[in-house]
Amino acid sequence: DTEVTQTPKHLVMGMTNKKSLKCEQHMGHRAMYWYKQKAKKPPELMFVYSYEKLSINESVPSRFSPECPNSSLLNLHLHALQPEDSALYLCASSQGTSAYNEQFFGPGTRLTVL
Amino acid sequence: AQSVTQLDSHVSVSEGTPVLLRCNYSSSYSPSLFWYVQHPNKGLQLLLKYTSAATLVKGINGFEAEFKKSETSFHLTKPSAHMSDAAEYFCVVILKYNNNDMRFGAGTRLTVKP
């Protein structure tokens, strides 16, 4: 299995809602990532988990809360988002966090905040 | 500091003609470099990577790239474009000492005309 899966594919939420994005991989990778991608822009790194511990937080607002329950799963909990948070949220995984390890990306969750 | 610059935001070629997508990097260290492709409404797929082995790197779907340290370049080429190559292409750099923190170029949109 060489896939990274993300659910849901699409999500529409209001500014007062609480929702979660889910990412899963079964490749035995020990590093997992969340990226945010606005339209016609490159992905921007949000969080990095290495061996289920948060190792990088790129100054992301606290309304985004990551969680890594185990080595195969990565969640992104959303609360009190703003319309400007609407974007494609991409999850990725890699064997480790060495610069030699390429990242495998999921198809993304397209989030719309009303 | 390190960064990556994709010199063309949009490249248009005819089917069957060569493709050249340009990428220059700046890094104080020996970098790892990647090319990823993103088809509309999809995640990112790795085309090829350079991690200080052979300077001419062959990737999937007939793409290749050459690492030229003297020119700080890592241009992506393909001898003959196919309609299915139409997509967004990202050049990515990772500092070797960093925590697999990928920095993306702004992207190049490739259009292939029949």
Side-chain angles (χ1 to χ4, degrees):
Chain A
D1 185 353
T2 57
E3 256 195 334
V4 176
T5 59
Q6 290 187 244
T7 54
K9 283 190 166 57
H10 300 274
L11 178 62
V12 179
M13 59 187 290
M15 290 190 284
T16 57
N17 292 158
K18 283 185 181 181
K19 297 285 184 183
S20 297
L21 309 185
K22 182 178 169 183
C23 173
E24 197 164 1
Q25 56 87 14
H26 295 288
M27 295 179 277
H29 288 173
R30 303 314 301 265
M32 296 185 77
Y33 312 78
W34 280 115
Y35 289 85
K36 174 182 178 179
Q37 186 178 24
K38 300 284 278 184
K40 300 189 189 304
K41 296 287 187 184
E44 295 175 357
L45 183 67
M46 299 174 73
F47 302 104
V48 180
Y49 272 84
S50 177
Y51 289 84
E52 298 149 56
K53 290 194 181 341
L54 184 65
S55 62
I56 292 181
N57 176 342
E58 290 285 357
S59 304
V60 179
S62 59
R63 57 185 184 268
F64 295 91
S65 174
E67 179 198 18
C68 190
N70 60 57
S71 59
S72 301
L73 272 177
L74 185 66
N75 298 319
L76 186 63
H77 303 299
L78 314 172
H79 174 54
L81 294 193
Q82 304 296 311
E84 60 264 29
D85 297 321
S86 298
L88 181 68
Y89 287 83
L90 294 164
C91 173
S93 71
S94 63
Q95 197 166 18
T97 53
S98 156
Y100 298 99
N101 298 141
E102 67 262 33
Q103 294 181 21
F104 293 78
F105 283 81
T109 293
R110 188 159 298 282
L111 174 68
T112 303
V113 182
L114 301 176
Chain B
Q2 55 83 26
S3 68
V4 58
T5 302
Q6 291 183 244
L7 297 162
D8 307 292
S9 60
H10 184 212
V11 169
S12 181
V13 301
S14 296
E15 192 175 20
T17 64
V19 175
L20 170 64
L21 305 183
R22 298 183 293 166
C23 173
N24 284 96
Y25 70 92
S26 64
S27 175
S28 305
Y29 301 84
S30 182
S32 290
L33 292 157
F34 302 75
W35 276 99
Y36 278 84
V37 61
Q38 186 175 30
H39 288 91
N41 299 312
K42 300 281 188 186
L44 286 86
Q45 181 183 21
L46 179 70
L47 281 177
L48 47 82
K49 67 177 181 180
Y50 166 77
T51 55
S52 78
T55 56
L56 181 61
V57 182
K58 292 191 185 299
I60 62 170
N61 301 335
F63 284 95
E64 63 181 42
E66 187 171 7
F67 174 72
K68 291 187 177 180
K69 188 174 180 179
S70 60
E71 298 175 13
T72 61
S73 69
F74 190 57
H75 301 335
L76 182 71
T77 60
K78 182 173 180 176
S80 176
H82 192 273
M83 295 297 290
S84 61
D85 294 328
E88 189 84 18
Y89 291 78
F90 293 100
C91 183
V92 180
V93 65
I94 301 178
L95 280 183
K96 285 215 187 297
Y97 72 84
N98 209 342
N99 200 6
N100 205 347
D101 183 356
M102 296 172 67
R103 298 294 169 171
F104 285 75
T108 298
R109 177 162 297 278
L110 177 65
T111 302
V112 182
K113 298 175 289 188

